Structures are given as structure tokens and as C-alpha cells.
Amino acid sequence: HNYLSSDPLELMVAPGDVLVVRGNGGGGLAAIGQAGGFMGHVLIVLGAPTRVQRGTPVAHELEEAWPSPTVAPGVSEIWRLRTVESTRRETGLYESETLFFVDRPTRRILVCGEVAPDGDVIVCEAPELAELWQSPEELRSELRVDLMSQVMAEMRV
């Protein structure tokens, strides 16, 4: 078989794209007002994803967030992605590194945790399904990452 040994997410995910994480609570009207809420988390992508291969020193640092073999068998890599969101639990914008993997049989993106700004690894109770909303090609090809970085720096102040 000719197939990729890795999921080429660095070719699919770009700054300005959106990850929508619906969560595992079932959503619906009962979720209005809850953390995660009716629409889930909406994360803006700030940079390119970074692959973390199982067995590397970085993977060891993220071991607690790695999906268990019973939940996601055969996961040999997870991805780190700088994201920002507005959330009730934080004042202002919340930046972190979202951790996720691709479920190869279904090709779905599943969030398994995050690296908080203080470096703490926060683990999802169960992997959460995420949708990737890509920016239109016209915007993607003209995106000025330098301006996006400048705006983010001004918003942090």
C-alpha cells in the first residue's frame, strides 16, 4: 500500500482557521449557559501545527494527555496547535496549545488536551470531536501572519 506515514496537518491547518470543539456533553438546548455551552468552544488558530511523535522526549512531557490505547488504538502522533479563544473562565483572551490527534479509521480530529500558558498539561476526560473550518483560499493566500501577530500582541496589553 502507498499511504502517508503521518497525517499532513501542517498542510491543512493554517493561522486564521477555526477549530470548533463541540464537546461530549451532547450539546443541545440543555447545554446553554454551561462551560463549552450550546455551540462548544470556538478556537482561532494562531500558528501551524507541530507533530509530536510517540516515544520522543516531548511526547513524554505530554504523556498524561496521550489518548489511551483502549480509546484510540494505534495513535502514534499527536499535534500541538497554538490557539486563542474567549472564555468565561478567563479574563480577556485565553491562549494555549491545543493537543489533538487524528482518528485514522474515521479521519476525524479529536482534542485530547491542552498545554496551558503556565505549562500545565490539561487532559480531556474523553477525546472531544473537533471540526476544522478552513479560511477561504483567497484569504489564506493573502494572510499577513505578521499583522495577525501584531494585533494579538496589542490585544494582550
Side-chain angles (χ1 to χ4, degrees), residues 22-59:
R22 302 256 183 227
N24 294 322
L29 294 178
I32 293 175
Q34 296 178 2
F38 176 62
M39 297 298 289
H41 295 282
V42 176
L43 309 166
I44 306 298
V45 175
L46 296 178
T50 304
R51 184 170 70 108
V52 178
Q53 186 71 36
R54 187 183 285 284
T56 63
V58 176

Side-chain angles (χ1 to χ4, degrees), residues 1-10 51-54 74-79 102 104 107:
H1 291 134
N2 290 332
Y3 59 89
L4 298 171
S5 61
S6 174
D7 296 299
L9 290 177
E10 65 276 5
R51 184 170 70 108
V52 178
Q53 186 71 36
R54 187 183 285 284
V75 174
S76 61
E77 64 191 12
I78 61 175
W79 294 83
V102 175
R104 287 232 164 157
R107 307 301 298 162

Side-chain angles (χ1 to χ4, degrees), residues 95 146-157:
E95 290 184 56
D146 60 328
L147 288 178
M148 188 171 124
S149 297
Q150 180 182 345
V151 168
M152 286 303 303
E154 290 174 7
M155 291 175 75
R156 286 184 196 106
V157 175

